[in-house]
Amino acid sequence: MKGIVSVCCFLSLLVLATTEEEEDVLTSILRDRSHIEETLRLASEEPAGDYAAALQRLRKIYHNSIKPMEQAYKYNELRQHEISAYPGRTLGASATDGEITSKPMVLFLGPWSVGKSSMINYLLGLQDTPYQLYTGAEPTTSEFTVIMHGEKVRSIEGIVMAADSSRSFSPLEKFGQNFLEKLIGVEMPHKLLERVTFVDTPGIIENRKQQERGYPFNDVCQWFIDRADLIFVVFDPTKLDVGLELEMLFRQLKGRESQIRIILNKADNLATQDLMRVYGALFWSLAPLINVTEPPRVYVSSFWPYEYAPDTSRDLFKREEISLLEDLNQVIENRLENKIAFIRQHGIRVRIHGLLVDRYVQTFKDKMSFFSDPDLVFKEIVDDPDKFYIFKSILAKTNVSKFDLPNRDAYRDFFGINPIGTFKQLSAQCSYMGGCLLEKIEKAITNELPGLLSSIASGKNPTLSSCEATGCGEKPKNRYRRH
């Protein structure tokens, strides 16, 4: 009996020694992560007060000057037929407080099992922890996973994320309950997640039909693409073919070339000569899909926590990785400037929409007579707006670029659900205390938002003035008093 006990004790010690030895070996093959901390400046503290003050002022400008025209002319109900008409933002989507205060979003796209989830695990240092994203050689990610900052580690169901109006994900409800079941949020305390949000997506499988996913996959991808500050499209040496789903994805990315970074992952699996051939094959496959003079940058490395394979271009891979991290850090550093630019761009589109609706209303009133049929008159205007110079008059009078004009067909649908009689002209959208909608939005576009941007660039504290904080504004002129 004593002999059996001795053997059991010996085996236990042997297993323990073997486990410790495996851990030592595993630690020895893990890659040094100090360059991630240094490049992303995770140890530095940010001036949180200045950032919060600038966001408060930006939110004030949006609510006081842009949102009133959004609501008056139902901008959020405008739909655009062409994806590329407004690259960077889906027309008809109004900004929200959640989007104004949200962190920069980094979106990971690409074929299945090319290392998207492993790359996120590597950047966050999640490997061999209970919180790491599941990875494998087979298609593993079937959900859209949003990795965010939180005080503690927890997962959030998609229906909860969509129901929370304080987040920027509430518009995702429109894609249906089947999609919300495939949406999951993960919160965890991490210095990098205090500054950025990662979105991991299901891998593209070319032999799968869209209806088999149970939700509109391309539409969901478009929603995230429109809101992403940086888009990583990941490939590996074994998945360079371009099928219908990937081709559609690049069509959706049109106009976003400045935000796209192509990543050739798992590059240390190849010898140098083979890597050059694969690099050329990747460009050959993507050339018809990226029709721009300067193609997006391609980063060649192996983004996972373990050491590079021996006899490979280690120094090259390390420099490529640091270069990619610098791109990510640039997005983080410029996040406030990007938000201001986005709100200003959004304000320009809302202003153009208000001017167009105003012109439709004015033309309708001019063409109506006592014996006219209102439906026939307005149908003629909507079907052929060029006959009545709707769009040309906007370009002639208001210094609007023709490249910013929305699609004419969008207004046929818009007025199909919003009768023309429900809108007032811009000249009637004025109040004694609140001023005029057009004047306020033009002031925001030409003065307030550029002023906020310049104050940040010059390092000044963008605090609210007493009137901006209380909403007192300028004293309105009495239009009825004789001077």
Side-chain angles (χ1 to χ4, degrees):
M1 186 70 178
K2 290 181 179 179
I4 296 174
V5 173
S6 300
V7 171
C8 290
C9 291
F10 173 75
L11 290 175
S12 299
L13 292 172
L14 183 61
V15 170
L16 181 61
T18 304
T19 304
E20 292 176 352
E21 184 179 347
E22 287 176 351
E23 289 178 355
D24 292 339
V25 172
L26 186 61
T27 304
S28 66
I29 64 174
L30 287 177
R31 196 185 304 173
D32 179 31
R33 299 184 71 257
S34 59
H35 62 286
I36 298 179
E37 309 276 337
E38 293 170 5
T39 308
L40 297 179
R41 303 175 188 175
L42 298 184
S44 62
E45 294 294 331
E46 295 187 326
D50 292 351
Y51 182 75
L55 277 184
Q56 183 184 0
R57 188 175 172 194
L58 179 60
R59 193 185 301 115
K60 189 81 174 178
I61 293 171
Y62 168 70
H63 280 284
N64 286 353
S65 303
I66 299 175
K67 193 170 184 177
M69 184 172 282
E70 260 185 41
Q71 295 175 331
Y73 291 100
K74 300 182 180 180
Y75 177 75
N76 64 327
E77 294 184 19
L78 186 63
R79 294 294 177 264
Q80 187 64 14
H81 293 274
E82 296 179 6
I83 293 171
S84 60
Y86 274 153
R89 181 78 184 192
T90 300
L91 184 65
S94 60
T96 64
D97 279 349
E99 288 177 323
I100 293 174
T101 59
S102 64
K103 301 177 180 66
M105 181 188 293
V106 179
L107 180 65
F108 290 78
L109 298 169
W112 58 276
S113 295
V114 293
K116 300 186 295 294
S117 302
S118 296
M119 189 172 176
I120 295 175
N121 286 336
Y122 173 51
L123 292 173
L124 297 176
L126 300 180
Q127 66 279 353
D128 302 320
T129 70
Y131 321 119
Q132 68 175 345
L133 302 181
Y134 180 64
T135 60
E138 75 285 359
T140 53
T141 304
S142 60
E143 299 92 7
F144 282 79
T145 307
V146 182
I147 302 99
M148 308 168 283
H149 180 265
E151 296 301 323
K152 59 181 181 179
V153 178
R154 65 170 183 147
S155 62
I156 308 171
E157 297 295 330
I159 54 174
V160 177
M161 292 174 63
D164 188 351
S165 59
S166 65
R167 302 180 187 273
S168 57
F169 302 104
S170 54
L172 288 171
E173 275 190 311
K174 65 183 179 182
F175 297 117
Q177 295 302 308
N178 285 342
F179 165 69
L180 293 181
E181 292 177 0
K182 295 293 184 181
L183 175 67
I184 187 170
V186 178
E187 286 187 347
M188 63 181 67
H190 196 284
K191 289 291 291 183
L192 181 54
L193 293 178
E194 290 179 5
R195 306 180 183 186
V196 72
T197 295
F198 291 129
V199 179
D200 192 16
T201 61
I204 293 171
I205 303 177
E206 295 297 350
N207 60 358
R208 172 179 291 170
K209 296 180 181 179
Q210 285 295 309
Q211 55 267 30
E212 291 180 9
R213 293 187 186 268
Y215 61 91
F217 176 74
N218 286 332
D219 293 341
V220 174
C221 284
Q222 186 67 57
W223 190 92
F224 281 103
I225 287 169
D226 290 338
R227 286 151 182 82
D229 297 86
L230 197 59
I231 301 170
F232 292 153
V233 184
V234 187
F235 295 89
D236 75 5
T238 65
K239 300 182 183 67
L240 304 179
D241 294 337
V242 176
L244 292 177
E245 196 165 65
L246 192 60
E247 186 177 345
M248 179 60 189
L249 179 65
F250 272 92
R251 206 175 300 160
Q252 293 176 282
L253 291 169
K254 186 178 179 182
R256 302 296 304 271
E257 286 79 11
S258 61
Q259 279 113 352
I260 298 173
R261 303 295 183 271
I262 307 294
I263 297 173
L264 180 56
N265 200 14
K266 306 180 184 179
D268 62 342
N269 290 344
L270 299 174
T272 303
Q273 188 174 5
D274 292 333
L275 181 58
M276 292 174 63
R277 290 172 179 162
V278 168
Y279 187 83
L282 178 60
F283 260 101
W284 178 265
S285 298
L286 298 182
L289 306 180
I290 307 175
N291 189 20
V292 292
T293 305
E294 184 178 353
R297 170 76 186 274
V298 177
Y299 296 87
V300 181
S301 188
S302 182
F303 295 92
W304 73 328
Y306 303 107
E307 278 291 355
Y308 300 112
D311 301 324
T312 54
S313 306
R314 301 165 62 92
D315 293 338
L316 170 65
F317 298 155
K318 181 73 172 288
R319 289 195 300 269
E320 289 283 282
E321 184 177 318
I322 291 176
S323 183
L324 181 66
L325 292 173
E326 288 172 347
D327 268 5
L328 175 57
N329 186 64
Q330 193 69 29
V331 168
I332 296 172
E333 294 289 335
N334 296 337
R335 64 193 184 281
L336 189 53
E337 290 89 336
N338 291 338
K339 282 184 184 296
I340 296 170
F342 156 67
I343 293 298
R344 184 175 182 275
Q345 185 184 42
H346 178 72
I348 290 172
R349 294 170 185 169
V350 173
R351 172 178 172 267
I352 291 173
H353 172 66
L355 290 168
L356 283 170
V357 173
D358 174 72
R359 184 61 185 167
Y360 272 102
V361 173
Q362 180 62 50
T363 304
F364 176 69
K365 289 183 176 180
D366 292 345
K367 297 300 176 184
M368 278 296 295
S369 65
F370 183 77
F371 298 103
S372 299
D373 185 332
D375 293 336
L376 293 177
V377 170
F378 191 65
K379 185 178 184 303
E380 183 183 5
I381 297 172
V382 170
D383 287 346
D384 191 6
D386 291 337
K387 177 181 177 181
F388 301 94
Y389 303 100
I390 300 288
F391 286 78
K392 288 183 179 179
S393 63
I394 299 298
L395 292 174
K397 294 183 179 180
T398 57
N399 194 28
V400 174
S401 170
K402 65 179 181 180
F403 302 106
D404 287 334
L405 290 177
N407 192 305
R408 289 155 173 74
D409 293 336
Y411 284 90
R412 185 184 293 110
D413 296 340
F414 176 76
F415 286 116
I417 58 176
N418 296 290
I420 188 69
T422 60
F423 297 104
K424 297 180 182 178
Q425 287 189 253
L426 280 170
S427 58
Q429 296 281 10
C430 298
S431 66
Y432 178 71
M433 294 299 295
C436 298
L437 295 187
L438 185 59
E439 291 176 3
K440 290 199 297 183
I441 197 169
E442 288 181 343
K443 182 180 178 183
I445 292 168
T446 57
N447 297 326
E448 295 174 343
L449 290 172
L452 178 58
L453 194 59
S454 62
S455 69
I456 293 170
S458 62
K460 297 178 181 178
N461 190 345
T463 53
L464 295 173
S465 65
S466 58
C467 275
E468 283 178 317
T470 58
C472 58
E474 298 178 358
K475 184 177 179 180
K477 296 179 181 179
N478 189 339
R479 300 185 180 92
Y480 307 102
R481 180 181 176 182
R482 292 183 179 179
H483 297 281

